[in-house]
Amino acid sequence: MAVGQNSPLFLGFDFSTQQLKVVTIDEDLNLVHQDRVHFDSELPEFRTNGGVHLHADRLTVTSPVLMWVKQHGSVYWRRGASATLDQLDPNQNLHNLLQDSFSVADSPVWMDSSSSRQCAALQAAVGGARLLAEISGSRAYERFTGNQIAKLQQSFPDQYQDTERISLVSSFAASLFLGGYAAIDYSDGSGMNLLDIRTRTWSKVLLEATAPHLEQLLGAPVPSTSVLGLVSSYFVQRYGFSESCRVVAFTGDNPASLAGMKLQEGNITVSLGTSDTVFLWLQQPRPALEGHVFCNPIDPEDYMALLCFKNGSLTRERVRDKCAGGSWEVFSAALRDTPLGNKGNIGFYFDTMEITPPVMGVHRFDSDDTEVSWFSPEVEVRAVVEGQFLSRRVHAERLGYSVVPGTRVLATGGASSNREILQVLSDTFNAPVYTIDLSDSACLGSAYRALHGSVAEFGVSFSDMLKKAPEPQLVANPHPAAQEVYDPMVKRYSRLEDTVLQKSRTQTTP
């Protein structure tokens, strides 16, 4: 959203689970203002825990819609955005006006996993999980909006019948600014199990399998760079917004993070945290049963992919404690002192049930692909790091990733401060590794998108717009022998992972 009178300002929001974050930048990408509202502590009347309500079945997780409305105005009131504000609660009129406007008072959020039956029905209706992924970019997920809509329609048909419009959190937030219904953007829309990611239109097959009259209730999706209109008079009169302030289509947190990370064609971001997350920029998607493929939020012709791995830093720390006496220095020394490829030894380390693949346990293989029960401490250290990064590359390639001239790996998260770990990452992907500071990347990416939305109609690319942004710092280049060592290991890892997965299924089959 572009705001301001003399020097234009650009406002980005992140409606996260526990708080609202807001960032304002100027046209030179300088940070002007930032703020946040914590739902539990600052809006206690909604009685949320971590921003949500966990229902008795332990599967249903929702957030109060009116809480999002009320915190929406709290940011402006706290900052004193307008000299004409009266002494009333700045949210009173909007809050009271909308309190009876929602057919569903509590909205399901991403943590909800109560729609398994609807997921199974959707996949069956289209011929299986793989065909659903080919159309929508993902197999059926309980948290995806299409399956939540199906559950609502089946559980509360009268409420569904009374519904005039269905919004995502992103398009709902944009609607508050517009004073009217905001369209769903392609990128967030492709995380619903409803959008055909190749035609960028709602899939009639998926709509019909989900709920009646759904195309009318959703409205037509729009490109993520679309300017939806001018901000409503409410924000002009009450908070001092410029009458010429334009609202750019809102998107989801992951697409916004891609924009905040300044990811470009051929780049890949690996976030090394409690869980490891991989972001990809793709031209030709290959949807699979794992991960997600979305329409790219900053390039209307391309795609992005997302992979999440539960076993990240906690697993690395467990091996550090066991094999390096709890010392990162000793751990790093083991990585320096062991050869690329670990003499053919490969390890799988799934301390908790993994997402991709759905396996739990530790599995070690020697250079002959024979499963063994033990590695020496130094080999174990390299095996856990190489194994994790081989996994990230294998699954990224299954979604369409490949190394091209100019490819960069952008590393973030706590483990990105360890140079030896990043050297293994560089070698495994055979690409240079850069580090970037990504605090509040979704919020910053939203502000970047607001700025881009104001110039996209003139043919300015997102990358051209960000030329003034700080550049990532180069921290590791691949070893000259990296490709020769790791290309064959990628194929071995993929084959051995299938073996581990099959073994896991055999052991769990009654």
Side-chain angles (χ1 to χ4, degrees), residues 179-194:
Y181 293 131
I184 295 171
D185 82 296
Y186 291 159
S187 195
D188 207 15
S190 49
M192 299 172 67
N193 280 147
L194 294 176

mmCIF file of all heavy atoms in Angstrom, residues 179-194:
data_model
loop_
_atom_site.group_PDB
_atom_site.id
_atom_site.type_symbol
_atom_site.label_atom_id
_atom_site.label_comp_id
_atom_site.label_asym_id
_atom_site.label_seq_id
_atom_site.Cartn_x
_atom_site.Cartn_y
_atom_site.Cartn_z
ATOM 1 N N GLY A 179 -12.590 -0.832 1.654
ATOM 2 C CA GLY A 179 -13.985 -0.573 1.949
ATOM 3 C C GLY A 179 -14.894 -1.361 1.020
ATOM 4 O O GLY A 179 -16.061 -1.007 0.819
ATOM 5 N N GLY A 180 -14.390 -2.428 0.445
ATOM 6 C CA GLY A 180 -15.145 -3.288 -0.457
ATOM 7 C C GLY A 180 -14.377 -4.583 -0.632
ATOM 8 O O GLY A 180 -13.260 -4.741 -0.136
ATOM 9 N N TYR A 181 -14.967 -5.525 -1.344
ATOM 10 C CA TYR A 181 -14.320 -6.829 -1.491
ATOM 11 C C TYR A 181 -13.057 -6.736 -2.335
ATOM 12 O O TYR A 181 -13.077 -6.218 -3.446
ATOM 13 C CB TYR A 181 -15.276 -7.833 -2.136
ATOM 14 C CG TYR A 181 -16.462 -8.198 -1.263
ATOM 15 C CD1 TYR A 181 -17.753 -8.179 -1.767
ATOM 16 C CD2 TYR A 181 -16.274 -8.565 0.064
ATOM 17 C CE1 TYR A 181 -18.835 -8.515 -0.985
ATOM 18 C CE2 TYR A 181 -17.350 -8.896 0.873
ATOM 19 C CZ TYR A 181 -18.633 -8.876 0.343
ATOM 20 O OH TYR A 181 -19.690 -9.204 1.130
ATOM 21 N N ALA A 182 -11.966 -7.268 -1.803
ATOM 22 C CA ALA A 182 -10.696 -7.327 -2.527
ATOM 23 C C ALA A 182 -10.545 -8.697 -3.169
ATOM 24 O O ALA A 182 -10.925 -9.718 -2.592
ATOM 25 C CB ALA A 182 -9.528 -7.064 -1.571
ATOM 26 N N ALA A 183 -9.981 -8.713 -4.359
ATOM 27 C CA ALA A 183 -9.753 -9.971 -5.060
ATOM 28 C C ALA A 183 -8.635 -10.763 -4.406
ATOM 29 O O ALA A 183 -7.729 -10.204 -3.779
ATOM 30 C CB ALA A 183 -9.424 -9.693 -6.523
ATOM 31 N N ILE A 184 -8.696 -12.077 -4.551
ATOM 32 C CA ILE A 184 -7.619 -12.974 -4.126
ATOM 33 C C ILE A 184 -6.531 -12.944 -5.186
ATOM 34 O O ILE A 184 -6.809 -13.012 -6.386
ATOM 35 C CB ILE A 184 -8.156 -14.406 -3.940
ATOM 36 C CG1 ILE A 184 -9.162 -14.441 -2.784
ATOM 37 C CG2 ILE A 184 -7.022 -15.398 -3.706
ATOM 38 C CD1 ILE A 184 -9.907 -15.762 -2.651
ATOM 39 N N ASP A 185 -5.277 -12.826 -4.766
ATOM 40 C CA ASP A 185 -4.181 -12.795 -5.746
ATOM 41 C C ASP A 185 -3.782 -14.213 -6.142
ATOM 42 O O ASP A 185 -4.040 -15.184 -5.431
ATOM 43 C CB ASP A 185 -2.981 -12.019 -5.192
ATOM 44 C CG ASP A 185 -2.112 -12.870 -4.296
ATOM 45 O OD1 ASP A 185 -2.612 -13.310 -3.237
ATOM 46 O OD2 ASP A 185 -0.946 -13.116 -4.642
ATOM 47 N N TYR A 186 -3.142 -14.342 -7.302
ATOM 48 C CA TYR A 186 -2.757 -15.654 -7.825
ATOM 49 C C TYR A 186 -1.903 -16.447 -6.839
ATOM 50 O O TYR A 186 -2.066 -17.661 -6.683
ATOM 51 C CB TYR A 186 -1.950 -15.506 -9.131
ATOM 52 C CG TYR A 186 -2.708 -14.999 -10.321
ATOM 53 C CD1 TYR A 186 -2.027 -14.429 -11.397
ATOM 54 C CD2 TYR A 186 -4.102 -15.079 -10.407
ATOM 55 C CE1 TYR A 186 -2.695 -13.961 -12.524
ATOM 56 C CE2 TYR A 186 -4.784 -14.611 -11.520
ATOM 57 C CZ TYR A 186 -4.071 -14.050 -12.584
ATOM 58 O OH TYR A 186 -4.740 -13.594 -13.677
ATOM 59 N N SER A 187 -0.959 -15.778 -6.179
ATOM 60 C CA SER A 187 0.020 -16.491 -5.372
ATOM 61 C C SER A 187 -0.614 -17.101 -4.127
ATOM 62 O O SER A 187 -0.455 -18.290 -3.851
ATOM 63 C CB SER A 187 1.170 -15.554 -4.991
ATOM 64 O OG SER A 187 2.278 -16.289 -4.523
ATOM 65 N N ASP A 188 -1.341 -16.309 -3.350
ATOM 66 C CA ASP A 188 -2.009 -16.857 -2.174
ATOM 67 C C ASP A 188 -3.139 -17.791 -2.595
ATOM 68 O O ASP A 188 -3.420 -18.788 -1.926
ATOM 69 C CB ASP A 188 -2.542 -15.729 -1.296
ATOM 70 C CG ASP A 188 -2.632 -16.131 0.175
ATOM 71 O OD1 ASP A 188 -2.028 -17.151 0.553
ATOM 72 O OD2 ASP A 188 -3.290 -15.415 0.950
ATOM 73 N N GLY A 189 -3.773 -17.493 -3.724
ATOM 74 C CA GLY A 189 -4.838 -18.352 -4.229
ATOM 75 C C GLY A 189 -4.357 -19.740 -4.593
ATOM 76 O O GLY A 189 -5.129 -20.713 -4.560
ATOM 77 N N SER A 190 -3.076 -19.866 -4.928
ATOM 78 C CA SER A 190 -2.563 -21.185 -5.295
ATOM 79 C C SER A 190 -2.221 -22.028 -4.076
ATOM 80 O O SER A 190 -1.722 -23.144 -4.224
ATOM 81 C CB SER A 190 -1.354 -21.055 -6.228
ATOM 82 O OG SER A 190 -0.402 -20.140 -5.741
ATOM 83 N N GLY A 191 -2.515 -21.541 -2.887
ATOM 84 C CA GLY A 191 -2.375 -22.341 -1.670
ATOM 85 C C GLY A 191 -3.722 -22.733 -1.099
ATOM 86 O O GLY A 191 -3.884 -22.812 0.117
ATOM 87 N N MET A 192 -4.698 -23.007 -1.986
ATOM 88 C CA MET A 192 -6.056 -23.317 -1.549
ATOM 89 C C MET A 192 -6.547 -24.690 -1.999
ATOM 90 O O MET A 192 -7.636 -25.106 -1.614
ATOM 91 C CB MET A 192 -7.020 -22.251 -2.084
ATOM 92 C CG MET A 192 -6.753 -20.840 -1.620
ATOM 93 S SD MET A 192 -7.793 -19.612 -2.461
ATOM 94 C CE MET A 192 -9.427 -20.019 -1.840
ATOM 95 N N ASN A 193 -5.785 -25.388 -2.860
ATOM 96 C CA ASN A 193 -6.269 -26.601 -3.533
ATOM 97 C C ASN A 193 -7.473 -26.303 -4.413
ATOM 98 O O ASN A 193 -8.338 -27.164 -4.607
ATOM 99 C CB ASN A 193 -6.647 -27.696 -2.529
ATOM 100 C CG ASN A 193 -5.469 -28.484 -1.989
ATOM 101 O OD1 ASN A 193 -5.496 -28.911 -0.831
ATOM 102 N ND2 ASN A 193 -4.437 -28.693 -2.791
ATOM 103 N N LEU A 194 -7.531 -25.091 -4.976
ATOM 104 C CA LEU A 194 -8.653 -24.709 -5.832
ATOM 105 C C LEU A 194 -8.215 -24.067 -7.140
ATOM 106 O O LEU A 194 -8.950 -24.122 -8.136
ATOM 107 C CB LEU A 194 -9.587 -23.727 -5.095
ATOM 108 C CG LEU A 194 -10.339 -24.257 -3.880
ATOM 109 C CD1 LEU A 194 -11.131 -23.124 -3.222
ATOM 110 C CD2 LEU A 194 -11.262 -25.408 -4.253
#
